[in-house]
């Protein structure tokens, strides 16, 4: 009899503990969803509603739309309403010093060395995250330019991105204008991509012919530096 009563008491205690735990968790979850703040006009909004309102107030853009950041023109590479940032590609290639865009045909070598040769696997090989470039290389200039624009990140367009745009440009004039650089002075752009074809070859965009091809990293075959930057949507106009 005593064992039976003890067993019953233990069961009751376990039930009470479980009920308290559920209550605490429910209270926590409820308070988390009820976090709010008061606006300047006196109205109260939950954090979720405030974020939704902020996103709704930002303009929606499409691939190929032209925007301005830091006084220079860029094209939108993609737009996601659930992100606070956007990827943009410079309207023109950079000047010889890499400090600003230029509609003149400025060509540079991709790099003075093929620093990725020991880690290369197959084409297209992503070079944007490979350490070894210098400040005077194509990637170095791209990243430095991005910092000057307050970018969260900066790089070169990848072969995969260029290939995806190429499949869309035939039915979208805005994408064609952006990809091939049709608003440049001579009606096209040549520029390096951030992808290697081999241990000595680097992919590039050749706007005059509407093709993607590769060149030798140490030879300036007409390619320039065209940065891709990631910036906060609030910084574009």
């Amino acid at each position: 009899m005593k064992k039976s009563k003890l067993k019953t008491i233990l069961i009751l205690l376990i039930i009470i503990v479980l009920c308290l735990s559920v209550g605490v968790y429910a209270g926590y979850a409820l308070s988390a969803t009820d976090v709010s703040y008061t606006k300047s006009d006196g109205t109260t909004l939950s954090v979720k509603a405030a974020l939704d309102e902020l996103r709704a107030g930002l303009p929606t853009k499409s691939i190929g739309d032209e925007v301005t950041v830091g006084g220079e023109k860029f094209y939108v590479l993609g737009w996601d309403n659930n992100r606070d940032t956007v990827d943009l590609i410079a309207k023109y290639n950079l000047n010889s010093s890499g400090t600003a865009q230029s509609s003149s045909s400025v060509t540079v070598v991709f790099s003075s060395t093929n620093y990725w040769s020991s880690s290369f696997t197959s084409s297209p090989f992503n070079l944007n995250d490979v350490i070894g470039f210098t400040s005077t290389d194509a990637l170095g200039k791209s990243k430095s330019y991005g910092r000057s624009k307050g970018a969260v990140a900066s790089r070169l367009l990848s072969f995969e991105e260029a290939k995806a745009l190429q499949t869309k440009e035939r039915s979208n004039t805005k994408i064609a204008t952006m990809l091939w650089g049709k608003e440049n002075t001579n009606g096209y752009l040549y520029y390096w991509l951030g992808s290697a074809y081999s241990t000595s070859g680097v992919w590039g965009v050749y706007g005059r012919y509407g093709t993607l091809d590769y060149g030798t990293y140490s030879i300036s075959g007409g390619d320039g530096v065209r940065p891709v930057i990631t910036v906060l949507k609030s910084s574009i106009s």
Side-chain angles (χ1 to χ4, degrees), residues 128-179:
N128 282 304
D129 299 323
V130 177
I131 298 173
F133 60 85
T134 68
S135 60
T136 57
D137 291 343
L139 269 168
K141 288 183 176 181
S142 178
K143 291 181 180 295
S144 176
Y145 175 78
R147 288 191 294 270
S148 74
K149 294 298 178 185
V152 176
S154 50
R155 55 185 176 84
L156 295 175
L157 191 70
S158 70
F159 175 84
E160 292 88 346
E161 288 174 310
K163 196 69 177 176
L165 292 171
Q166 189 179 25
T167 62
K168 299 175 182 177
E169 60 91 13
R170 293 179 181 85
S171 59
N172 190 313
T173 56
K174 287 197 303 183
I175 293 179
T177 297
M178 171 182 69
L179 178 62

Side-chain angles (χ1 to χ4, degrees), residues 188-201:
Y188 58 86
L189 285 173
Y190 289 176
Y191 54 99
W192 293 108
L193 294 176
S195 304
Y197 169 79
S198 64
T199 56
S200 60

Side-chain angles (χ1 to χ4, degrees), residues 108-134 136-140 156 192-204 214-219 223:
V108 297
V109 299
F110 182 82
S111 174
S112 56
T113 63
N114 56 339
Y115 54 86
W116 63 91
S117 61
S118 61
S119 55
F120 179 83
T121 52
S122 61
S123 177
F125 182 74
N126 180 24
L127 294 173
N128 282 304
D129 299 323
V130 177
I131 298 173
F133 60 85
T134 68
T136 57
D137 291 343
L139 269 168
L156 295 175
W192 293 108
L193 294 176
S195 304
Y197 169 79
S198 64
T199 56
S200 60
V202 179
W203 284 104
Y214 58 91
T216 303
Y217 71 92
S218 58
I219 297 176
D223 296 329

Side-chain angles (χ1 to χ4, degrees), residues 27-216:
Y28 171 78
L30 181 62
S31 63
T33 56
D34 283 346
V35 175
S36 61
Y37 82 104
T38 302
K39 297 171 63 177
S40 58
D41 61 3
T43 59
T44 301
L45 281 179
S46 69
V47 170
K48 181 181 182 302
L51 289 172
D52 290 342
E53 184 180 89
L54 176 63
R55 290 193 178 101
L58 293 172
T60 298
K61 301 292 183 182
S62 301
I63 299 176
D65 283 351
E66 189 175 300
V67 298
T68 302
V69 175
E72 292 193 289
K73 300 292 185 180
F74 295 83
Y75 293 113
V76 174
L77 278 177
W79 190 273
D80 185 345
N81 285 328
N82 294 315
R83 289 178 56 195
D84 296 324
T85 58
V86 59
D87 292 335
L88 310 172
I89 187 168
K91 184 173 183 177
Y92 306 110
N93 290 347
L94 297 185
N95 58 19
S96 57
S97 61
T99 56
Q101 296 180 39
S102 173
S103 58
S104 301
S105 297
V106 178
T107 64
V108 297
V109 299
F110 182 82
S111 174
S112 56
T113 63
N114 56 339
Y115 54 86
W116 63 91
S117 61
S118 61
S119 55
F120 179 83
T121 52
S122 61
S123 177
F125 182 74
N126 180 24
L127 294 173
N128 282 304
D129 299 323
V130 177
I131 298 173
F133 60 85
T134 68
S135 60
T136 57
D137 291 343
L139 269 168
K141 288 183 176 181
S142 178
K143 291 181 180 295
S144 176
Y145 175 78
R147 288 191 294 270
S148 74
K149 294 298 178 185
V152 176
S154 50
R155 55 185 176 84
L156 295 175
L157 191 70
S158 70
F159 175 84
E160 292 88 346
E161 288 174 310
K163 196 69 177 176
L165 292 171
Q166 189 179 25
T167 62
K168 299 175 182 177
E169 60 91 13
R170 293 179 181 85
S171 59
N172 190 313
T173 56
K174 287 197 303 183
I175 293 179
T177 297
M178 171 182 69
L179 178 62
W180 308 127
K182 291 187 175 183
E183 291 193 352
N184 195 45
T185 302
N186 55 11
Y188 58 86
L189 285 173
Y190 289 176
Y191 54 99
W192 293 108
L193 294 176
S195 304
Y197 169 79
S198 64
T199 56
S200 60
V202 179
W203 284 104
V205 172
Y206 297 89
R208 183 176 184 178
Y209 307 106
T211 61
L212 307 181
D213 207 340
Y214 58 91
T216 303

